[in-house]
Amino acid sequence: MLYEVNLAAIKKARLSKGFTMDKMAKFLGLDGKSNYYKRENGITNFKSTELPVLCDVLDLNYEKIFVKTLRKSKHKEVTA
């Protein structure tokens, strides 16, 4: 079982707080809202150092940030 970042939950929480993408970019220390847009829309992955900031700013539990997925990993499993 793999976990993915729940982008829909992040977007929903951001909108409910009334934060713009520009404001979120500033919270995360990103240069401009386009970099945040790419993360929220799955074009670029959020960095592991950004996820705790998202949780704090958006008042989300870590459990809300991650969702289980049945999608197979891109990496081959090593067998002995």
Side-chain angles (χ1 to χ4, degrees), residues 34-66:
S34 65
N35 286 320
Y36 180 80
Y37 171 87
K38 289 176 185 177
R39 284 166 170 76
E40 189 177 271
N41 288 284
I43 299 165
T44 302
N45 291 331
F46 280 103
K47 295 181 181 177
S48 60
T49 55
E50 296 167 345
L51 294 175
V53 176
L54 282 175
C55 289
D56 288 342
V57 168
L58 299 175
D59 293 324
L60 290 173
N61 296 334
Y62 285 103
E63 293 84 24
K64 295 263 184 181
I65 292 284
F66 295 104

Side-chain angles (χ1 to χ4, degrees), residues 11-22:
K11 183 175 184 175
K12 182 178 177 182
R14 175 181 65 81
L15 293 173
S16 73
K17 294 276 185 187
F19 294 145
T20 63
M21 287 188 179
D22 192 46

Side-chain angles (χ1 to χ4, degrees), residues 76-80:
K76 290 186 177 180
E77 202 172 302
V78 178
T79 57

